[in-house]
Amino acid sequence: MTRAERGPSLSELGERICILGPSNSGKSTLAAAIGAATGLPVVHLDVLRFVPGSHWVERDPDEFGRLHDAAIDGERWVMEGNYSRWLPQRLDRATGLIVLDVSMPTSLVRYVRRTLFERDRLGGLEGVADRLDPAMMRWIVTQTSGNRAHYRERARSAGLPAIVLASRGALRRFYAAGDLRR
């Protein structure tokens, strides 16, 4: 594979890296691995979006917007999460972008596995154990395809160095190339 086919390296993404991808695609795990390897502070947007200690009760949008904007004002970060309403200003501050382009079946399997077997998951709400939610499963089944296309388009149009990881193999190779640990 040529360098042009691989895209930029992790080091070429700079010190404000945005990670996008469908629900349960591995954004939180990747952000934590990048943070550990580079020293970049990790921001999990779900932790800012939802009320601490709740079972996924959303904060007021204005409050989340203030928390989001304070986080992106930092000089260095790796930030994972989508929240399209706030994405333009996040991409304006970002120096690089990673898109996890995983399939709906992969996202669904990851969701079931994490809710049944992972009690303290990265990017989860402190003190809250995930549980299977039929509405979340429907969301994954019905929204993943459209979201994947949206995130790929963002990678093409953002004007930033961008990496699209379109398979589990590509993700494994990215972890290996960046000496990242799960």
Side-chain angles (χ1 to χ4, degrees):
M1 181 182 312
T2 69
R3 179 149 165 48
E5 291 170 319
R6 284 192 314 265
S9 67
L10 177 59
S11 64
E12 293 171 309
L13 296 181
E15 293 193 323
R16 289 187 302 277
I17 301 170
C18 240
I19 302 174
L20 302 176
S23 295
N24 301 283
S25 59
K27 298 180 299 290
S28 297
T29 303
L30 180 58
I34 290 171
T38 63
L40 294 174
V42 178
V43 179
H44 300 286
L45 288 178
D46 280 351
V47 173
L48 302 180
R49 182 65 176 121
F50 295 94
V51 175
S54 73
H55 194 269
W56 303 103
V57 174
E58 290 185 359
R59 291 182 196 264
D60 173 79
D62 291 335
E63 182 181 359
F64 172 65
R66 285 188 294 276
L67 293 169
H68 173 275
D69 290 350
I72 66 172
D73 280 344
E75 285 304 311
R76 302 174 69 245
W77 41 258
V78 56
M79 188 174 299
E80 63 84 15
N82 300 314
Y83 303 106
S84 294
R85 175 177 165 189
W86 293 273
L87 186 56
Q89 63 258 42
R90 193 172 337 131
L91 291 178
D92 283 347
R93 288 279 301 144
T95 57
L97 174 63
I98 300 172
V99 173
L100 297 180
D101 188 21
V102 304
S103 69
M104 181 276 294
T106 297
S107 290
L108 191 58
V109 166
R110 288 180 56 87
Y111 173 70
V112 171
R113 185 185 70 224
R114 90 169 192 209
T115 56
L116 294 179
F117 303 111
E118 295 175 16
R119 291 296 155 226
D120 294 317
R121 72 172 184 86
L122 296 167
L125 300 180
E126 189 173 331
V128 176
D130 283 338
R131 54 183 182 244
L132 283 179
D133 180 351
M136 183 61 177
M137 294 173 79
R138 264 191 310 281
W139 171 265
I140 292 168
V141 169
T142 62
Q143 301 299 313
T144 297
S145 177
N147 287 341
R148 288 175 68 200
H150 173 73
Y151 303 137
R152 285 190 307 266
E153 176 53 33
R154 285 296 187 162
R156 281 190 292 276
S157 65
L160 298 169
I163 298 169
V164 177
L165 300 170
S167 69
R168 290 189 332 216
L171 183 58
R172 277 192 302 275
R173 288 187 297 277
F174 183 75
Y175 269 87
D179 200 25
L180 304 176
R181 307 267 185 259
R182 293 179 197 251

